[in-house]
Amino acid sequence: MSAFWLLDFVLLALLVASAGVVVWLRNLNGAVMALSAVGVLLTVLFVALGAPDVAHSEVVVGAIALPVLYLVAIGKARTDVTDEEDLGERGEGRRVRR
Amino acid sequence: MRLAFVVLLLAVGLAFSLSGAVGVLRMPDVYTRAQCATKTVTLGTLSVLVALVVGEGPVSNYGGRALIVAVLILVMSPAASHALLRAAYRTGVPMWRGSVVDEPRRMREEQESGR
Amino acid sequence: MTYAYLVAAVAEIAIAAVLVVRLALGPSISDRIVALNVVSTQAMLAVLLFAAYADRTVYLDVALWLASFSYLGTIVWSRYLERGLL
Amino acid sequence: MIVVNYLAAAAVFCLGLYAVLTRRNIIKMVMGLSLMEASTYLFVVSVAYRARSTAPVLLNPQDGKTPAELAKGDVADPVLQNFCLTAIVIGVALTAVFLAVAVRVAQHYRTLDADKVRAMRG
């Protein structure tokens, strides 16, 4: 087992852990951050597996575009959903009025 | 000889990155965490990039790209950290109990008491 | 020398494992953004070191994109925290 | 050794399926779908990889190198990587459509809970 497979295995373990964090977190904003971490780790994995073009599109889509889409959707849903329990934001530091 | 320099710089960079990661894990509030993340990880990153420049030569593809990334990190990292922490302060993320200096709050209170 | 690069890449990714813990249990979203930023930086270093190990210049662009987009993403998310994205 | 990649892809797929089946928040369900997409990309790129292969980009080698030296014996399968590229682009459009549907549900029913939406539907 060479060091390349060690890199592969560490990346896979982190990928599965980040996916577990996405499922486990109740806070929607935190889950979006974990999804972005999944995109970043998948990018390194694609480079290690010899697919730099796929890694290009994955870093743009998985690490930036997809979280921004989710954040826009959460922000638009927040204006309509009054129940904060629903968005999983009970323990968050909410916006300070000033 | 060059190999020894490269390995030494890689080891220094890894040590700084590890200390920054442990600081992010163990510090008590978001401001000290971001301080660890900015200073320590920037130093670790720069050490590894200098190792690439030493190992591959500054005019090769790898060394040149490492220099571009180094300039990018030196410019962008403080700006991003500052924007993030200003947003965190304005959204009311609490400070650690033991922290002693809160300049914006002190200035605001002085303004209100003087009026 | 190239093997040292590969070992360093493995170590950078192993350091990122510490940050995923902070990403999982950070109390506020700012902690998670800080951890995610450092994870992106470590991933960028790993890509750069892997490109030097594999001796392919094609991989280098990915590292550049990853670095620039991680900091851009941090600025975008701080703007989202402060004023809302729309 | 590449079998571990397949197992990890299966694990991420099962996590996404679990999120879709058990979570009540609609946006969390869409996140589960994104995880399933990510596992599909990982699986396809792992199928394209062969032992000790490199990227199938051999045009414009740097000075003093031939394309055969760049390949070092073997390259990964470019056809499956192109499939994966197309799947990523389609996947982000699919996620955008799902999120638009979720925002419409939130505007219409004033909640994001799938069970409450079903109850209000009657």
Side-chain angles (χ1 to χ4, degrees), chain C residues 53-59, chain D residues 54-55 57 62 65 70 72:
Chain C
Y53 158 73
D55 201 12
R56 296 296 308 268
T57 52
V58 194
Y59 297 161
Chain D
T54 181
V57 184
Q62 43 188 332
K65 288 209 172 177
L70 278 184
K72 290 195 190 104

Side-chain angles (χ1 to χ4, degrees), chain D:
Chain D
M1 283 295 176
I2 201 70
V3 179
V4 183
N5 283 31
Y6 302 156
L7 290 179
V12 176
F13 188 88
C14 290
L15 278 171
L17 196 61
Y18 175 77
V20 170
L21 289 181
T22 62
R23 297 294 120 150
R24 292 171 64 182
N25 198 327
I26 294 177
I27 293 183
K28 210 51 173 296
M29 289 183 188
V30 183
M31 278 180 204
L33 283 169
S34 288
L35 279 184
M36 289 157 78
E37 285 169 9
S39 78
T40 314
Y41 309 149
L42 176 58
F43 180 70
V44 172
V45 173
S46 302
V47 168
Y49 183 76
R50 291 190 282 251
R52 282 182 298 282
S53 66
T54 181
V57 184
L58 302 178
L59 290 176
N60 300 323
Q62 43 188 332
D63 297 338
K65 288 209 172 177
T66 60
E69 277 178 352
L70 278 184
K72 290 195 190 104
D74 205 355
V75 295
D77 194 350
V79 178
L80 288 172
Q81 292 185 358
N82 271 322
F83 284 169
C84 185
L85 206 55
T86 314
I88 286 175
V89 176
I90 293 177
V92 66
L94 199 63
T95 310
V97 170
F98 281 146
L99 285 174
V101 171
V103 168
R104 284 297 293 156
V105 166
Q107 285 174 352
H108 193 261
Y109 291 99
R110 302 279 168 195
T111 182
L112 271 177
D113 198 330
D115 289 349
K116 282 184 197 164
V117 169
R118 200 176 295 129
M120 272 190 263
R121 183 78 192 282

Side-chain angles (χ1 to χ4, degrees), chain B residues 67-81:
Chain B
L67 284 177
I68 293 175
V69 171
V71 170
L72 195 68
I73 281 179
L74 277 180
V75 172
M76 292 279 280
S77 174
S81 179

Side-chain angles (χ1 to χ4, degrees), chain B residues 49-62:
Chain B
L49 294 176
V50 169
L52 266 178
V53 171
V54 169
E56 302 288 327
V59 289
S60 69
N61 274 318
Y62 308 98

Side-chain angles (χ1 to χ4, degrees), chain A residues 2 4 8 10-11 13 16 24 29 31 33-34 39-40 49-50 59 62 65 73-74 76 81 84 93 97:
Chain A
S2 67
F4 172 78
D8 195 15
V10 173
L11 276 169
V16 175
W24 173 66
N29 283 324
M33 293 306 143
V40 169
L49 291 179
V59 69
I74 292 169
K76 284 187 85 65
V81 179
E84 288 201 355
R97 306 252 177 263

